[in-house]
Amino acid sequence: MKVGLELAGIWPRVMAFVYESLIVGAILFLATAAAMLVTRSAIEPGTVWFELYLLSVVGGYFCYCWTRSGQTVGMFAWRILLTDLAGNRVSFATAISRYLVSAILGFGLLGLLMALVDIDRIALQDRLTRTRVLRLPKVERA
């Protein structure tokens, strides 16, 4: 863990999740518009290729952000950071694993609820992928 940083509490993580849902909604809208342009038609609900495409687009967003800076837009807004157990940026393989585990757990909500009963207050997706979400300090402004 990075020196001087503590694990992020439940509240900042929930708020980052809410903030992130707006970003993901916009990404899904743009991805759907792109797919409709390419196919030149409306897409039937429940189409398997389309569902996998959307999951891949959202996964690409999360994995890119987590490996590049350790933060998505929502995480940046709430000053939380994803790291591995040593406090370093996560690898692409770890980011993919975390995204897939989070998707299976209802995009992290079930895992986050598990943090309420976990002895160390660590979400299930973080425990399974050996990652941690840390709280960054406030920046003093002059």
Side-chain angles (χ1 to χ4, degrees):
M1 210 175 330
K2 290 194 182 256
V3 177
L5 297 182
E6 298 178 359
L7 290 173
I10 299 295
W11 180 249
R13 293 182 72 166
V14 168
M15 294 311 296
F17 179 87
V18 170
Y19 193 106
E20 207 67 59
S21 67
L22 299 173
I23 304 298
V24 169
I27 290 169
L28 291 172
F29 176 81
L30 292 172
T32 299
M36 289 175 71
L37 282 173
V38 169
T39 63
R40 297 178 182 234
S41 66
I43 300 167
E44 292 292 320
T47 306
V48 174
W49 73 265
F50 182 64
E51 302 293 330
L52 292 174
Y53 162 70
L54 291 179
L55 280 171
S56 298
V57 168
V58 172
Y61 163 72
F62 280 103
C63 292
Y64 173 77
C65 291
W66 289 336
T67 57
R68 182 178 159 269
S69 66
Q71 295 177 296
T72 60
V73 174
M75 294 170 80
F76 178 80
W78 286 92
R79 299 184 346 264
I80 57 179
L81 174 73
L82 179 70
T83 69
D84 64 12
L85 294 180
N88 302 314
R89 277 192 213 143
V90 297
S91 68
F92 192 69
T94 300
I96 290 172
S97 297
R98 188 174 193 274
Y99 174 71
L100 293 174
V101 168
S102 294
I104 291 167
L105 297 174
F107 289 99
L109 276 180
L110 179 60
L112 197 52
L113 290 174
M114 293 298 293
L116 292 172
V117 296
D118 185 86
I119 192 163
D120 299 317
R121 299 285 190 230
I122 297 171
L124 185 57
Q125 62 266 28
D126 294 318
R127 188 161 302 282
L128 293 175
T129 60
R130 302 180 56 80
T131 58
R132 295 295 178 260
V133 178
L134 307 176
R135 183 75 167 167
L136 297 171
K138 289 184 180 180
V139 176
E140 297 295 324
R141 298 184 185 190

